[in-house]
Amino acid sequence: MADALYGDDPEPGEPFPAGRLCVPVRPGTRGCVTRLFRTPVGGRTAVAFTDPARLTAVLGAEQPWIRLSEPALRALIEPLDVRELRIDPVLTAPRPAAASVPLPEPLPRPLTALAS
C-alpha cells in the first residue's frame, strides 16, 4: 500500500514530457520557423498542442504546424532565451481586424482678409 502512495509519479505541478506535439510554425528563409507568442504580461512563450483539432480551434485552420517532441521544442527555443512553453492554451486575443480606418476629412482653409 505504501508503494502506491509514495511511488515515482510526478507531482501535479512538475513538468512531464507531453509526447509528440503540434507546434505552430511560420515560413522562414530556410524552411519552417517556430512561431512564438506573448504572454498577457508581455513575456515570450512557445505554444504547442496535443492534437491538431486543438490547434485549429485556437489558431485557425490556416495555421501551418509540425510535429515535435517537447524536448526538441525546448531545444529550439532555448537559444532564443524563451523559457516558457504553454501546452494546449485556450485563451487568446483576437487577431486585429484587417479593415482600414477612414481618414478624417481635411479642415476647410480659413478665409484671409484681402489687403486693401
Side-chain angles (χ1 to χ4, degrees), residues 58-115:
V58 174
L59 299 175
E62 313 83 41
Q63 175 62 55
W65 58 274
I66 59 172
R67 288 239 184 227
L68 286 175
S69 68
E70 182 180 346
L73 178 55
R74 288 190 184 278
L76 284 174
I77 63 174
E78 191 214 355
L80 303 173
D81 203 28
V82 176
R83 303 280 184 251
E84 191 170 341
L85 170 60
R86 304 249 174 142
I87 297 176
D88 288 331
V90 291
L91 299 176
T92 60
R95 181 178 282 181
S100 62
V101 177
L103 296 175
E105 292 292 323
L107 296 173
R109 297 177 76 190
L111 296 175
T112 56
L114 295 175

Short mmCIF file of all heavy atoms in Angstrom, two decimals, residues 58-115:
data_model
loop_
_atom_site.label_atom_id
_atom_site.label_comp_id
_atom_site.label_asym_id
_atom_site.label_seq_id
_atom_site.Cartn_x
_atom_site.Cartn_y
_atom_site.Cartn_z
N VAL A 58 -7.90 27.00 -31.74
CA VAL A 58 -7.34 28.22 -31.17
C VAL A 58 -6.75 29.13 -32.24
O VAL A 58 -6.98 30.34 -32.23
CB VAL A 58 -6.27 27.88 -30.10
CG1 VAL A 58 -5.57 29.13 -29.60
CG2 VAL A 58 -6.90 27.12 -28.95
N LEU A 59 -6.02 28.57 -33.21
CA LEU A 59 -5.29 29.39 -34.17
C LEU A 59 -5.88 29.40 -35.57
O LEU A 59 -5.41 30.15 -36.42
CB LEU A 59 -3.83 28.93 -34.24
CG LEU A 59 -3.05 29.05 -32.92
CD1 LEU A 59 -1.66 28.46 -33.08
CD2 LEU A 59 -2.98 30.50 -32.48
N GLY A 60 -6.87 28.56 -35.84
CA GLY A 60 -7.50 28.53 -37.15
C GLY A 60 -6.92 27.46 -38.05
O GLY A 60 -5.81 26.97 -37.85
N ALA A 61 -7.70 27.12 -39.06
CA ALA A 61 -7.33 26.04 -39.97
C ALA A 61 -6.17 26.42 -40.88
O ALA A 61 -5.48 25.55 -41.40
CB ALA A 61 -8.54 25.63 -40.82
N GLU A 62 -5.91 27.71 -41.06
CA GLU A 62 -4.83 28.15 -41.97
C GLU A 62 -3.46 28.08 -41.32
O GLU A 62 -2.44 28.24 -42.00
CB GLU A 62 -5.04 29.60 -42.41
CG GLU A 62 -6.42 29.98 -42.88
CD GLU A 62 -7.35 30.31 -41.71
OE1 GLU A 62 -6.94 30.97 -40.75
OE2 GLU A 62 -8.51 29.88 -41.78
N GLN A 63 -3.40 27.88 -40.01
CA GLN A 63 -2.12 27.89 -39.29
C GLN A 63 -1.30 26.65 -39.63
O GLN A 63 -1.71 25.53 -39.34
CB GLN A 63 -2.35 27.95 -37.78
CG GLN A 63 -1.09 27.84 -36.95
CD GLN A 63 -0.11 28.96 -37.19
OE1 GLN A 63 -0.47 30.12 -37.07
NE2 GLN A 63 1.12 28.64 -37.56
N PRO A 64 -0.12 26.81 -40.26
CA PRO A 64 0.73 25.64 -40.50
C PRO A 64 1.36 25.15 -39.20
O PRO A 64 1.58 25.94 -38.27
CB PRO A 64 1.80 26.17 -41.47
CG PRO A 64 1.76 27.64 -41.38
CD PRO A 64 0.42 28.04 -40.83
N TRP A 65 1.64 23.86 -39.14
CA TRP A 65 2.23 23.28 -37.93
C TRP A 65 3.06 22.06 -38.28
O TRP A 65 2.93 21.51 -39.37
CB TRP A 65 1.16 22.93 -36.91
CG TRP A 65 0.11 21.98 -37.39
CD1 TRP A 65 -1.04 22.31 -38.06
CD2 TRP A 65 0.10 20.56 -37.26
NE1 TRP A 65 -1.75 21.17 -38.35
CE2 TRP A 65 -1.08 20.07 -37.87
CE3 TRP A 65 0.97 19.64 -36.69
CZ2 TRP A 65 -1.40 18.74 -37.92
CZ3 TRP A 65 0.65 18.29 -36.74
CH2 TRP A 65 -0.53 17.86 -37.34
N ILE A 66 3.92 21.69 -37.34
CA ILE A 66 4.73 20.49 -37.48
C ILE A 66 4.66 19.69 -36.18
O ILE A 66 4.25 20.22 -35.15
CB ILE A 66 6.21 20.81 -37.82
CG1 ILE A 66 6.83 21.67 -36.72
CG2 ILE A 66 6.33 21.47 -39.18
CD1 ILE A 66 8.33 21.87 -36.87
N ARG A 67 5.03 18.42 -36.25
CA ARG A 67 5.08 17.58 -35.05
C ARG A 67 6.49 17.61 -34.47
O ARG A 67 7.47 17.42 -35.20
CB ARG A 67 4.72 16.14 -35.38
CG ARG A 67 3.27 15.96 -35.69
CD ARG A 67 2.69 14.97 -34.72
NE ARG A 67 1.31 14.71 -35.07
CZ ARG A 67 0.35 14.72 -34.19
NH1 ARG A 67 0.60 14.96 -32.93
NH2 ARG A 67 -0.88 14.46 -34.55
N LEU A 68 6.58 17.89 -33.17
CA LEU A 68 7.85 17.87 -32.46
C LEU A 68 7.64 17.28 -31.07
O LEU A 68 6.55 17.42 -30.51
CB LEU A 68 8.40 19.29 -32.27
CG LEU A 68 8.99 20.01 -33.47
CD1 LEU A 68 9.37 21.43 -33.08
CD2 LEU A 68 10.21 19.27 -33.98
N SER A 69 8.67 16.68 -30.53
CA SER A 69 8.60 16.25 -29.13
C SER A 69 8.85 17.48 -28.26
O SER A 69 9.42 18.48 -28.70
CB SER A 69 9.65 15.18 -28.85
OG SER A 69 10.95 15.74 -28.93
N GLU A 70 8.43 17.39 -27.00
CA GLU A 70 8.64 18.51 -26.09
C GLU A 70 10.13 18.83 -25.92
O GLU A 70 10.52 19.99 -25.98
CB GLU A 70 7.98 18.24 -24.74
CG GLU A 70 8.14 19.41 -23.79
CD GLU A 70 7.49 19.16 -22.44
OE1 GLU A 70 6.70 18.21 -22.30
OE2 GLU A 70 7.79 19.93 -21.51
N PRO A 71 11.00 17.83 -25.72
CA PRO A 71 12.43 18.15 -25.60
C PRO A 71 13.00 18.84 -26.85
O PRO A 71 13.83 19.74 -26.75
CB PRO A 71 13.10 16.80 -25.35
CG PRO A 71 12.02 15.94 -24.77
CD PRO A 71 10.76 16.40 -25.43
N ALA A 72 12.56 18.42 -28.03
CA ALA A 72 13.04 19.05 -29.27
C ALA A 72 12.58 20.51 -29.34
O ALA A 72 13.35 21.39 -29.72
CB ALA A 72 12.55 18.27 -30.49
N LEU A 73 11.33 20.77 -28.98
CA LEU A 73 10.83 22.14 -29.00
C LEU A 73 11.58 23.00 -27.99
O LEU A 73 11.99 24.12 -28.29
CB LEU A 73 9.33 22.16 -28.71
CG LEU A 73 8.67 23.54 -28.65
CD1 LEU A 73 8.93 24.35 -29.91
CD2 LEU A 73 7.18 23.40 -28.39
N ARG A 74 11.80 22.48 -26.80
CA ARG A 74 12.56 23.25 -25.79
C ARG A 74 13.98 23.53 -26.26
O ARG A 74 14.53 24.60 -26.02
CB ARG A 74 12.56 22.51 -24.46
CG ARG A 74 11.20 22.56 -23.78
CD ARG A 74 11.26 22.02 -22.36
NE ARG A 74 9.96 21.98 -21.75
CZ ARG A 74 9.35 23.02 -21.17
NH1 ARG A 74 9.95 24.20 -21.14
NH2 ARG A 74 8.16 22.89 -20.63
N ALA A 75 14.60 22.57 -26.97
CA ALA A 75 15.95 22.78 -27.51
C ALA A 75 15.94 23.87 -28.59
O ALA A 75 16.91 24.63 -28.70
CB ALA A 75 16.49 21.47 -28.08
N LEU A 76 14.87 23.98 -29.35
CA LEU A 76 14.78 25.03 -30.38
C LEU A 76 14.61 26.42 -29.79
O LEU A 76 15.15 27.39 -30.32
CB LEU A 76 13.60 24.74 -31.32
CG LEU A 76 13.79 23.65 -32.35
CD1 LEU A 76 12.48 23.40 -33.09
CD2 LEU A 76 14.87 24.04 -33.33
N ILE A 77 13.85 26.53 -28.71
CA ILE A 77 13.56 27.86 -28.17
C ILE A 77 14.58 28.33 -27.15
O ILE A 77 14.67 29.53 -26.89
CB ILE A 77 12.14 27.93 -27.57
CG1 ILE A 77 11.97 26.99 -26.39
CG2 ILE A 77 11.09 27.67 -28.65
CD1 ILE A 77 10.64 27.11 -25.66
N GLU A 78 15.39 27.42 -26.61
CA GLU A 78 16.35 27.82 -25.58
C GLU A 78 17.38 28.85 -26.08
O GLU A 78 17.63 29.84 -25.39
CB GLU A 78 17.07 26.61 -25.01
CG GLU A 78 17.87 26.96 -23.78
CD GLU A 78 19.14 26.15 -23.66
OE1 GLU A 78 19.38 25.25 -24.47
OE2 GLU A 78 19.88 26.46 -22.74
N PRO A 79 17.98 28.71 -27.28
CA PRO A 79 18.93 29.73 -27.73
C PRO A 79 18.28 31.11 -27.93
O PRO A 79 18.97 32.12 -27.97
CB PRO A 79 19.45 29.20 -29.06
CG PRO A 79 19.13 27.75 -29.07
CD PRO A 79 17.92 27.57 -28.20
N LEU A 80 16.96 31.15 -28.06
CA LEU A 80 16.25 32.42 -28.22
C LEU A 80 15.90 33.04 -26.88
O LEU A 80 15.20 34.05 -26.83
CB LEU A 80 14.97 32.18 -29.04
CG LEU A 80 15.18 31.55 -30.41
CD1 LEU A 80 13.85 31.20 -31.03
CD2 LEU A 80 16.00 32.46 -31.30
N ASP A 81 16.36 32.43 -25.80
CA ASP A 81 16.09 32.88 -24.42
C ASP A 81 14.60 32.84 -24.09
O ASP A 81 14.10 33.66 -23.34
CB ASP A 81 16.67 34.27 -24.18
CG ASP A 81 16.90 34.52 -22.70
OD1 ASP A 81 17.13 33.55 -21.97
OD2 ASP A 81 16.83 35.69 -22.28
N VAL A 82 13.90 31.89 -24.69
CA VAL A 82 12.49 31.66 -24.39
C VAL A 82 12.45 30.45 -23.46
O VAL A 82 12.87 29.37 -23.83
CB VAL A 82 11.66 31.40 -25.67
CG1 VAL A 82 10.23 31.07 -25.33
CG2 VAL A 82 11.74 32.59 -26.60
N ARG A 83 11.96 30.65 -22.26
CA ARG A 83 11.96 29.58 -21.26
C ARG A 83 10.58 28.99 -21.04
O ARG A 83 10.44 27.94 -20.45
CB ARG A 83 12.47 30.12 -19.92
CG ARG A 83 13.84 30.74 -20.01
CD ARG A 83 14.91 29.65 -20.00
NE ARG A 83 16.23 30.24 -19.98
CZ ARG A 83 17.07 30.22 -21.00
NH1 ARG A 83 16.72 29.65 -22.12
NH2 ARG A 83 18.25 30.76 -20.91
N GLU A 84 9.54 29.66 -21.48
CA GLU A 84 8.18 29.22 -21.18
C GLU A 84 7.57 28.48 -22.38
O GLU A 84 7.74 28.90 -23.52
CB GLU A 84 7.31 30.43 -20.83
CG GLU A 84 5.98 30.03 -20.27
CD GLU A 84 5.23 31.22 -19.70
OE1 GLU A 84 5.85 32.25 -19.42
OE2 GLU A 84 4.01 31.09 -19.56
N LEU A 85 6.89 27.40 -22.07
CA LEU A 85 6.17 26.61 -23.07
C LEU A 85 4.76 26.39 -22.55
O LEU A 85 4.58 25.85 -21.46
CB LEU A 85 6.87 25.27 -23.32
CG LEU A 85 6.11 24.25 -24.16
CD1 LEU A 85 5.81 24.79 -25.56
CD2 LEU A 85 6.88 22.95 -24.23
N ARG A 86 3.77 26.81 -23.32
CA ARG A 86 2.37 26.60 -22.94
C ARG A 86 1.81 25.48 -23.82
O ARG A 86 1.87 25.57 -25.05
CB ARG A 86 1.55 27.87 -23.15
CG ARG A 86 2.09 29.06 -22.42
CD ARG A 86 1.19 29.45 -21.32
NE ARG A 86 1.80 30.52 -20.54
CZ ARG A 86 1.13 31.51 -20.04
NH1 ARG A 86 -0.15 31.62 -20.24
NH2 ARG A 86 1.74 32.41 -19.31
N ILE A 87 1.27 24.46 -23.18
CA ILE A 87 0.69 23.35 -23.92
C ILE A 87 -0.83 23.44 -23.83
O ILE A 87 -1.38 23.62 -22.75
CB ILE A 87 1.21 22.00 -23.37
CG1 ILE A 87 2.72 21.94 -23.59
CG2 ILE A 87 0.52 20.82 -24.05
CD1 ILE A 87 3.38 20.73 -23.02
N ASP A 88 -1.48 23.38 -24.98
CA ASP A 88 -2.93 23.48 -25.11
C ASP A 88 -3.50 24.77 -24.51
O ASP A 88 -4.45 24.72 -23.72
CB ASP A 88 -3.63 22.27 -24.51
CG ASP A 88 -3.43 21.02 -25.34
OD1 ASP A 88 -3.26 21.11 -26.57
OD2 ASP A 88 -3.46 19.93 -24.75
N PRO A 89 -2.96 25.94 -24.88
CA PRO A 89 -3.57 27.17 -24.39
C PRO A 89 -4.94 27.34 -25.04
O PRO A 89 -5.15 26.93 -26.18
CB PRO A 89 -2.61 28.26 -24.84
CG PRO A 89 -1.96 27.70 -26.06
CD PRO A 89 -1.85 26.21 -25.79
N VAL A 90 -5.88 27.89 -24.30
CA VAL A 90 -7.23 28.06 -24.86
C VAL A 90 -7.63 29.53 -24.98
O VAL A 90 -8.48 29.86 -25.79
CB VAL A 90 -8.29 27.31 -24.03
CG1 VAL A 90 -8.12 25.82 -24.17
CG2 VAL A 90 -8.25 27.70 -22.58
N LEU A 91 -7.04 30.39 -24.20
CA LEU A 91 -7.41 31.80 -24.26
C LEU A 91 -6.39 32.56 -25.09
O LEU A 91 -5.20 32.55 -24.80
CB LEU A 91 -7.47 32.39 -22.85
CG LEU A 91 -8.50 31.75 -21.93
CD1 LEU A 91 -8.40 32.34 -20.54
CD2 LEU A 91 -9.90 31.93 -22.48
N THR A 92 -6.87 33.20 -26.14
CA THR A 92 -6.00 34.02 -26.98
C THR A 92 -6.72 35.31 -27.31
O THR A 92 -7.95 35.38 -27.29
CB THR A 92 -5.65 33.32 -28.31
OG1 THR A 92 -6.86 33.07 -29.03
CG2 THR A 92 -4.90 32.03 -28.07
N ALA A 93 -5.96 36.33 -27.59
CA ALA A 93 -6.55 37.59 -28.02
C ALA A 93 -6.96 37.47 -29.48
O ALA A 93 -6.30 36.78 -30.26
CB ALA A 93 -5.55 38.72 -27.86
N PRO A 94 -8.06 38.10 -29.87
CA PRO A 94 -8.46 38.01 -31.27
C PRO A 94 -7.46 38.72 -32.17
O PRO A 94 -6.81 39.69 -31.76
CB PRO A 94 -9.83 38.70 -31.30
CG PRO A 94 -9.85 39.56 -30.09
CD PRO A 94 -8.96 38.91 -29.08
N ARG A 95 -7.35 38.24 -33.40
CA ARG A 95 -6.48 38.86 -34.38
C ARG A 95 -7.04 40.23 -34.74
O ARG A 95 -8.25 40.39 -34.87
CB ARG A 95 -6.43 37.98 -35.62
CG ARG A 95 -5.54 38.51 -36.72
CD ARG A 95 -5.51 37.57 -37.86
NE ARG A 95 -4.61 36.47 -37.48
CZ ARG A 95 -4.35 35.46 -38.27
NH1 ARG A 95 -4.91 35.35 -39.43
NH2 ARG A 95 -3.53 34.52 -37.87
N PRO A 96 -6.19 41.26 -34.91
CA PRO A 96 -6.69 42.59 -35.27
C PRO A 96 -7.45 42.55 -36.59
O PRO A 96 -7.11 41.79 -37.49
CB PRO A 96 -5.44 43.45 -35.40
CG PRO A 96 -4.33 42.66 -34.82
CD PRO A 96 -4.76 41.22 -34.77
N ALA A 97 -8.48 43.37 -36.67
CA ALA A 97 -9.28 43.43 -37.90
C ALA A 97 -8.43 43.98 -39.04
O ALA A 97 -7.59 44.85 -38.86
CB ALA A 97 -10.50 44.32 -37.67
N ALA A 98 -8.67 43.47 -40.24
CA ALA A 98 -7.90 43.90 -41.41
C ALA A 98 -8.53 45.12 -42.08
O ALA A 98 -7.99 45.63 -43.04
CB ALA A 98 -7.81 42.75 -42.41
N ALA A 99 -9.67 45.57 -41.58
CA ALA A 99 -10.34 46.72 -42.20
C ALA A 99 -9.51 47.98 -41.98
O ALA A 99 -8.92 48.19 -40.94
CB ALA A 99 -11.73 46.90 -41.62
N SER A 100 -9.49 48.83 -43.00
CA SER A 100 -8.74 50.07 -42.87
C SER A 100 -9.60 51.12 -42.17
O SER A 100 -10.82 51.11 -42.24
CB SER A 100 -8.31 50.58 -44.25
OG SER A 100 -9.46 50.84 -45.03
N VAL A 101 -8.94 52.02 -41.51
CA VAL A 101 -9.63 53.09 -40.78
C VAL A 101 -9.71 54.30 -41.71
O VAL A 101 -8.69 54.75 -42.24
CB VAL A 101 -8.86 53.44 -39.49
CG1 VAL A 101 -9.51 54.59 -38.77
CG2 VAL A 101 -8.73 52.23 -38.61
N PRO A 102 -10.92 54.86 -41.93
CA PRO A 102 -11.01 56.02 -42.81
C PRO A 102 -10.35 57.24 -42.17
O PRO A 102 -10.42 57.44 -40.97
CB PRO A 102 -12.52 56.23 -42.99
CG PRO A 102 -13.13 55.57 -41.80
CD PRO A 102 -12.20 54.45 -41.41
N LEU A 103 -9.69 58.01 -43.00
CA LEU A 103 -9.05 59.23 -42.51
C LEU A 103 -10.08 60.34 -42.40
O LEU A 103 -11.03 60.41 -43.20
CB LEU A 103 -7.93 59.66 -43.47
CG LEU A 103 -6.76 58.68 -43.59
CD1 LEU A 103 -5.79 59.15 -44.66
CD2 LEU A 103 -6.06 58.53 -42.26
N PRO A 104 -9.93 61.25 -41.44
CA PRO A 104 -10.89 62.34 -41.32
C PRO A 104 -10.76 63.30 -42.49
O PRO A 104 -9.71 63.41 -43.12
CB PRO A 104 -10.51 63.02 -40.00
CG PRO A 104 -9.10 62.61 -39.74
CD PRO A 104 -8.91 61.28 -40.41
N GLU A 105 -11.85 63.96 -42.80
CA GLU A 105 -11.85 64.96 -43.87
C GLU A 105 -10.95 66.12 -43.45
O GLU A 105 -10.93 66.51 -42.29
CB GLU A 105 -13.27 65.47 -44.12
CG GLU A 105 -14.20 64.41 -44.70
CD GLU A 105 -13.80 64.04 -46.12
OE1 GLU A 105 -13.37 64.92 -46.89
OE2 GLU A 105 -13.91 62.85 -46.45
N PRO A 106 -10.22 66.71 -44.41
CA PRO A 106 -9.39 67.85 -44.05
C PRO A 106 -10.26 69.04 -43.64
O PRO A 106 -11.37 69.23 -44.15
CB PRO A 106 -8.58 68.15 -45.30
CG PRO A 106 -9.26 67.41 -46.40
CD PRO A 106 -10.08 66.33 -45.79
N LEU A 107 -9.74 69.83 -42.72
CA LEU A 107 -10.47 71.02 -42.29
C LEU A 107 -10.44 72.07 -43.40
O LEU A 107 -9.45 72.19 -44.13
CB LEU A 107 -9.84 71.60 -41.02
CG LEU A 107 -9.90 70.70 -39.79
CD1 LEU A 107 -9.11 71.31 -38.65
CD2 LEU A 107 -11.33 70.47 -39.37
N PRO A 108 -11.52 72.85 -43.54
CA PRO A 108 -11.51 73.90 -44.57
C PRO A 108 -10.48 74.97 -44.20
O PRO A 108 -10.24 75.24 -43.03
CB PRO A 108 -12.94 74.45 -44.53
CG PRO A 108 -13.51 73.99 -43.25
CD PRO A 108 -12.77 72.79 -42.82
N ARG A 109 -9.88 75.54 -45.23
CA ARG A 109 -8.89 76.58 -45.01
C ARG A 109 -9.61 77.88 -44.62
O ARG A 109 -10.63 78.23 -45.21
CB ARG A 109 -8.07 76.81 -46.28
CG ARG A 109 -7.28 75.56 -46.64
CD ARG A 109 -6.52 75.70 -47.90
NE ARG A 109 -5.35 76.54 -47.63
CZ ARG A 109 -4.56 77.02 -48.58
NH1 ARG A 109 -4.82 76.76 -49.84
NH2 ARG A 109 -3.53 77.74 -48.29
N PRO A 110 -9.10 78.56 -43.63
CA PRO A 110 -9.77 79.82 -43.24
C PRO A 110 -9.59 80.89 -44.32
O PRO A 110 -8.60 80.91 -45.04
CB PRO A 110 -9.05 80.23 -41.96
CG PRO A 110 -7.75 79.49 -41.97
CD PRO A 110 -7.96 78.27 -42.80
N LEU A 111 -10.60 81.73 -44.46
CA LEU A 111 -10.53 82.83 -45.42
C LEU A 111 -9.64 83.90 -44.84
O LEU A 111 -9.73 84.24 -43.66
CB LEU A 111 -11.93 83.39 -45.69
CG LEU A 111 -12.91 82.40 -46.36
CD1 LEU A 111 -14.26 83.03 -46.47
CD2 LEU A 111 -12.39 81.99 -47.73
N THR A 112 -8.81 84.44 -45.65
CA THR A 112 -7.94 85.52 -45.20
C THR A 112 -8.46 86.84 -45.75
O THR A 112 -9.01 86.91 -46.86
CB THR A 112 -6.49 85.31 -45.68
OG1 THR A 112 -6.49 85.19 -47.09
CG2 THR A 112 -5.90 84.07 -45.05
N ALA A 113 -8.34 87.86 -44.98
CA ALA A 113 -8.81 89.20 -45.40
C ALA A 113 -7.87 89.73 -46.47
O ALA A 113 -6.66 89.60 -46.36
CB ALA A 113 -8.87 90.13 -44.19
N LEU A 114 -8.45 90.30 -47.49
CA LEU A 114 -7.64 90.87 -48.56
C LEU A 114 -7.14 92.24 -48.10
O LEU A 114 -7.86 93.04 -47.54
CB LEU A 114 -8.46 91.02 -49.83
CG LEU A 114 -8.93 89.70 -50.44
CD1 LEU A 114 -9.84 89.98 -51.61
CD2 LEU A 114 -7.75 88.87 -50.88
N ALA A 115 -5.91 92.50 -48.36
CA ALA A 115 -5.34 93.80 -48.01
C ALA A 115 -5.82 94.83 -49.02
O ALA A 115 -5.81 94.60 -50.20
CB ALA A 115 -3.84 93.72 -47.99
#
